[in-house]
Amino acid sequence: MNTTRKLRLGPLPKLESVKLTFACPASLKADLDRYAALHAQEHGEVVDAATLVPYMLEAFMAGDRGFKRGGHATPKPSTK
């Protein structure tokens, strides 16, 4: 395993959260657990896969050009 590679997900900020439950294939859960282990190794903070998922989804959505073009679910405040 090459541990010199940088993960896309950096250190986790402290944010207010809401609980969301979902089901996923066992293979995805195993990959998420493996990613969590690599993340802990790279950043020195142990977190489980469930803690990483919201940040991974946020990063995915931020990079989705179609979603960006479609606008945001909540309007941004006017700067006028």
Side-chain angles (χ1 to χ4, degrees):
M1 178 182 335
N2 184 358
T3 59
T4 60
R5 234 182 294 173
K6 288 274 190 188
L7 298 177
R8 291 185 70 177
L9 195 61
L12 302 180
K14 305 295 183 209
L15 301 174
E16 182 179 335
S17 63
V18 296
K19 184 168 180 123
L20 178 66
T21 303
F22 73 99
C24 68
S27 60
L28 176 56
K29 174 64 166 90
D31 285 345
L32 290 168
D33 288 339
R34 192 165 49 90
Y35 192 99
L38 291 171
H39 188 274
Q41 201 173 43
E42 185 171 306
H43 297 287
E45 180 182 359
V46 177
V47 293
D48 62 2
T51 302
L52 292 176
V53 168
Y55 299 99
M56 297 170 104
L57 288 173
E58 184 178 52
F60 171 81
M61 291 173 68
D64 187 315
R65 291 184 184 132
F67 180 71
K68 285 181 182 178
R69 279 194 301 264
H72 296 284
T74 55
K76 291 187 176 184
S78 175
T79 56
K80 292 181 181 180

